[in-house]
Amino acid sequence: MCGIVGYIGYRDTNPILIEGLKRLEYRGYDSAGVCILVDGETVIVKDKGKVSHLESLLDAKNVHSTIGIGHTRWATHGEPNFVNAHPHSNEEGDIVLIHNGIIENFNTLKKSLITQGYTFKSDTDTEVLAHLIDVFMKKGNKLFRAVRLALSEVEGTYGLAVISSREPNILIAARKGSPLVIGVGDKENFIASDVSALITHTKQVVYLDDGEVAEITAEGFRVKTVQDEEISKEVTEVFLTLEELDRGGYDTFMLKEIMEQPESVLNSLRGRLLLDEGTSKLGGLENVLDKLVTAKRFILTACGTSWHSGLVAEYMFEQYLRIPTEVEYASEFRYRNPIIEPGDAIFFISQSGETADTLAAMHEAKRKGALCIGICNGVGSSIARDSDSGVYIHAGPEIGVASTKAFTSQLTVFALITLLLARKKDMSLADGKIIVEEFKLLPGKIKKILELRSRIEEIAEVFKDTPNFLYLGRGYNFPVALEGALKLKEISYIHAEGYPAAEMKHGPIALVDKNMPVVFIAPKDSTYDKINSNIQEIKARKGIVIAIATEDDDRIDTIADYSIKIPGTIRMLTPILSVIPLQLLAYFIAKKKGLNVDQPRNLAKSVTVE
Ligand code: F6R
C-alpha cells in the first residue's frame, strides 16, 4: 500500500528518495511524489503513475537538496491523479507532508478549517493535516509541537512525514496504526514505512510505536508521544541483505518466491525439529506453552491467503489436539464484539505483520484480555511486536503481491505448533518421530514438484484464455482449493471459485459444461475415493478435469484430462505440497496473458487501511 521515505543529511536526497520509493513499489500504488527543500523553498514534484516517471520529472527539474520526503500513494480518498498525489501542503506551501493511513474525522476537521478560511485543493483526507499543522504553527508553535497538537485532534491512522521551509533542518515523522521506522546513519538519518527502503544505507533502525512523533535532524532524533511525553527509543539492527530483496535472476519476484520454497520451508524448520524427542521447539511460545496445551478454544484470525492458512491449521489442531478451533476473517472479528472467554488463545496470522484489520482485531482481543499469538513473517512488524508471544515464519522478504512462500511457511509453522502441543498432550514418541521425519523430507519433495514447471506451463497455455475456473478439494485440501482460486483471480483476472468438492452438487455444478476447467486437489488420503466420485460427476457433465494427484496414482490418469503428480506425505503436510502446482498454474496463466504478476491491478502487498 502507500509507501514513505525520507532523508536528512549531507547527500543529494533525490537518488535516495527515488531508490527508496522503488524498493516500496512492490506494495502497490497509483501515484508518486517527493518534496525537497531548495534555497528556503519547498519544491514538490508528483504525478499519477510510476516512480520511474517521477524520476524523470525530478531529473528534468534539476533541483537538489539534502532534505526531502517521498511517497507512493494507493488511492483511498479521491481518484489517483496529480492533485490527489502526495505530498500535500498548506496554502502558503511552506508546510509539506506525506501520509499513509486514513484520517477518519477528516470531514469534521475539513468543515472547521473551511470556516477558519482555509481552502482545499485535493479530495484527500491528508490535506486537512497540512492546514491543521499550519493553524498551530501560526499560533507560535514550532513544527514538532504543531504536528503533535494537530495529531491530537485526529481520529484514524497515520504514518506521517512532514518538512517545512520555516524550519529547514528538521524532519518530523509520526506513527499510529501505519508503520514507520527511522534509519540511523552517520551525520544523516532516514525514515521509511518499511525497512526495505533504507537497508542499503543503514541497518540501525528505530521502530516508532503508535502515538509517537519523532523530530529528526542530520545529527540525531528525539521522540515524544502525541501527548508530549519524552520517550527513549532503542536502536536495533536489521538482518536483511540486498540479495534477499532482489529478483535473483528470475523474471519476477513471484516466480523467484515460488522457486525459493525448498529453502523458505527449510528456514521455517531450521533449528526447530528435535528428532530424538519426536517434537519441535519454538522459543517464541515457551512462555505460553502451558496455556496453549490447556486452552479450551483456539481462534485463528487473518485476511486473504493468511486466512487460508488458518483454515488448514484448523484441520491440524482439531485432528491432533482435539481443541475446538474457529477461523475468522479479521475484518469481521474486530467489529462483531467477539465472545472471548478464559481459556481462549487467539492466533493472528499475517505475512506483513502490518495488515490493518488483523492488527485491529488483535488490539480488540487484547482489550478483552485474550492471549494473543502472532504468526508473522515481517520481523519487528506491528503484529509481531504487539502480540503476547509468537512465532516468526522466517520465509524471508516476500515482494510479489501474491503471497506464495509465506503461505507454505505459515503452514509449516502451524504444523510445528501442532506437533509441539500434541507431544505435550497425548501423541506418542514414535508418532512424533514419524512426523519429524516427514518434515525433513519436505524441502526435497517441494524441489521435485518445482521440476514439473514446464508441464504446468503447457497446461497454462491451454487454459490462458478461459474465463472461469473451479477449484475443488476436501478436508485439508479444501482451503488449498480456496487458495488456488485466489492466486488465479488475483494475478490473471480470471474468475475462479474454490469449493469443498462435495458442496459442488449444491449449486456450482450448474456452471459445469465442456468449457469449464475444474481443478481437483485429489491426493491419496482418506477422502480419495469420495473425491474420485466428484471427478466422475464433473466428467459426466463434460467438464475438463485438471487433477493434482499423488505420484503413484495411475487410476487418476484414466479419468482426468490433465494430471500433475506430487509426492505423498502425511495428511497434515499435504497442503504444503499440493498448493505449489496451483501457484505455478496461476503464475504461468498470468504471464501468458502478458500481465504484471508482481503488481496486479488494484492490489497492494500490505493492506494498511481497513
Ligand atoms: C493474496 C495476498 C493477500 C494477503 C492478505 C493478508 O495473495 O497476498 O490476500 O494474504 O492481504 O496479508 P498479510 O498476510 O500480510 O496480513
Side-chain angles (χ1 to χ4, degrees), residues 573-591:
L573 301 182
T574 308
I576 299 171
L577 303 181
S578 58
V579 75
I580 293 171
L582 305 186
Q583 296 169 344
L584 284 167
L585 184 64
Y587 175 81
F588 285 122
I589 289 180
K591 273 304 266 183

Side-chain angles (χ1 to χ4, degrees), residues 162 166 191 200 226 269 293 337-338 378 411 432 437 515 538 554 559:
V162 193
R166 298 190 212 169
I191 57 164
T200 47
V226 170
L269 292 172
V293 173
N337 195 15
L411 299 185
E437 292 293 1
N515 299 315
I538 294 293
D554 299 329
I559 42 175

Side-chain angles (χ1 to χ4, degrees), residues 303-306 349-355 358 398 401-403 410 483 486-487 490 604-607:
C303 306
T305 289
S306 295
I349 316 156
S350 176
Q351 185 285 127
S352 59
E354 302 293 352
T355 298
T358 313
E398 190 178 69
V401 163
S403 189
Q410 285 166 344
E483 176 60 8
L486 178 66
K487 285 291 87 85
E490 67 184 330
K605 181 64 185 161
S606 180
V607 184

Side-chain angles (χ1 to χ4, degrees), residues 93-165:
D94 55 5
I95 301 170
V96 180
L97 54 83
I98 54 183
H99 165 229
N100 290 351
I102 292 181
I103 307 300
E104 281 163 7
N105 59 338
F106 95 102
N107 265 324
T108 319
L109 293 171
K110 189 168 176 177
K111 276 189 202 137
S112 147
L113 287 161
I114 289 171
T115 52
Q116 293 172 57
Y118 283 91
T119 54
F120 283 77
K121 295 190 278 274
S122 75
D123 307 317
T124 65
D125 52 337
T126 299
E127 199 182 346
V128 296
L129 284 174
H131 296 311
L132 207 51
I133 295 167
D134 182 81
V135 169
F136 288 109
M137 284 195 89
K138 287 205 170 118
K139 287 184 179 161
N141 295 293
K142 304 290 274 178
L143 183 62
F144 189 26
R145 186 170 162 77
V147 171
R148 283 181 283 124
L149 289 168
L151 291 178
S152 66
E153 299 202 354
V154 160
E155 286 162 25
T157 54
Y158 48 80
L160 184 72
V162 193
I163 52 175
S164 169
S165 53

Side-chain angles (χ1 to χ4, degrees), residues 384-524:
R385 286 183 302 135
D386 290 0
S387 51
D388 297 309
S389 302
V391 184
Y392 281 120
I393 64 169
H394 293 316
E398 190 178 69
I399 310 288
V401 163
S403 189
T404 51
K405 64 175 181 169
F407 180 69
T408 47
S409 283
Q410 285 166 344
L411 299 185
T412 305
V413 163
F414 275 120
L416 286 168
I417 296 173
T418 305
L419 175 62
L420 174 67
L421 300 183
R423 286 284 292 127
K424 291 266 172 207
K425 287 172 85 100
D426 58 4
M427 183 184 278
S428 69
L429 173 63
D431 286 347
K433 282 186 168 178
I434 294 172
I435 295 180
V436 173
E437 292 293 1
E438 284 294 336
F439 268 118
K440 289 187 166 169
L441 297 173
L442 275 178
K445 290 182 181 177
I446 297 173
K447 257 190 206 139
K448 269 187 104 175
I449 299 171
L450 294 171
E451 282 163 14
L452 302 175
R453 229 171 112 177
S454 26
R455 159 95 182 124
I456 298 170
E457 191 171 358
E458 280 163 23
I459 300 175
E461 178 62 35
V462 179
F463 293 102
K464 65 178 194 306
D465 298 317
T466 309
N468 296 294
F469 261 85
L470 267 180
Y471 285 71
L472 303 176
R474 297 184 81 128
Y476 276 100
N477 284 300
F478 154 54
V480 176
L482 296 181
E483 176 60 8
L486 178 66
K487 285 291 87 85
L488 185 69
K489 71 185 126 192
E490 67 184 330
I491 59 169
S492 73
Y493 317 145
I494 291 175
H495 171 239
E497 293 194 46
Y499 268 94
E503 186 63 21
M504 168 193 74
K505 288 197 285 293
H506 302 280
I509 200 163
L511 298 169
V512 175
D513 63 12
K514 65 179 181 4
N515 299 315
M516 175 65 97
V518 184
V519 180
F520 274 95
I521 301 105
K524 272 203 177 150

Side-chain angles (χ1 to χ4, degrees), residues 77-306:
H77 292 66
E79 63 175 277
N81 59 23
F82 168 80
V83 178
N84 291 331
H86 297 213
H88 291 284
S89 69
N90 62 335
E91 279 172 10
E92 288 87 352
D94 55 5
I95 301 170
V96 180
L97 54 83
I98 54 183
H99 165 229
N100 290 351
I102 292 181
I103 307 300
E104 281 163 7
N105 59 338
F106 95 102
N107 265 324
T108 319
L109 293 171
K110 189 168 176 177
K111 276 189 202 137
S112 147
L113 287 161
I114 289 171
T115 52
Q116 293 172 57
Y118 283 91
T119 54
F120 283 77
K121 295 190 278 274
S122 75
D123 307 317
T124 65
D125 52 337
T126 299
E127 199 182 346
V128 296
L129 284 174
H131 296 311
L132 207 51
I133 295 167
D134 182 81
V135 169
F136 288 109
M137 284 195 89
K138 287 205 170 118
K139 287 184 179 161
N141 295 293
K142 304 290 274 178
L143 183 62
F144 189 26
R145 186 170 162 77
V147 171
R148 283 181 283 124
L149 289 168
L151 291 178
S152 66
E153 299 202 354
V154 160
E155 286 162 25
T157 54
Y158 48 80
L160 184 72
V162 193
I163 52 175
S164 169
S165 53
R166 298 190 212 169
E167 289 177 51
N169 298 319
I170 59 167
L171 171 61
I172 305 291
R175 169 204 162 123
K176 187 178 165 208
S178 188
L180 211 82
V181 57
I182 304 174
V184 182
D186 184 14
K187 298 196 177 52
E188 58 180 357
N189 286 307
F190 307 80
I191 57 164
S193 50
D194 185 323
V195 282
S196 61
L198 47 78
I199 59 152
T200 47
H201 305 292
T202 178
K203 301 223 159 158
Q204 306 296 316
V205 300
V206 174
Y207 294 100
L208 287 187
D209 285 308
D210 278 352
E212 291 179 350
V213 188
E215 180 188 53
I216 303 157
T217 63
E219 306 295 335
F221 66 90
R222 64 180 177 138
V223 178
K224 283 189 163 196
T225 62
V226 170
Q227 292 77 21
D228 205 26
E229 196 189 327
E230 198 89 36
I231 303 277
S232 139
K233 299 292 290 182
E234 196 190 334
V235 180
T236 50
E237 189 165 350
V238 212
F239 297 98
L240 251 189
T241 61
L242 213 51
E243 298 83 76
E244 283 178 296
L245 289 169
D246 285 343
R247 282 203 299 267
Y250 287 100
D251 260 12
T252 61
F253 281 111
M254 184 175 172
L255 185 60
K256 171 183 177 249
E257 287 155 9
I258 293 173
M259 298 304 288
E260 250 168 28
Q261 288 177 105
E263 296 87 61
S264 52
V265 165
L266 187 63
N267 286 337
S268 307
L269 292 172
R270 209 179 287 283
R272 290 171 163 176
L273 289 174
L274 303 176
L275 179 59
D276 290 345
E277 293 161 49
T279 189
S280 65
K281 180 175 159 32
L282 295 164
L285 295 186
E286 255 155 38
N287 61 339
V288 291
L289 213 48
D290 291 342
K291 287 188 183 149
L292 292 177
V293 173
T294 54
K296 295 212 166 50
R297 178 174 68 150
F298 286 148
I299 301 174
L300 304 162
T301 183
C303 306
T305 289
S306 295

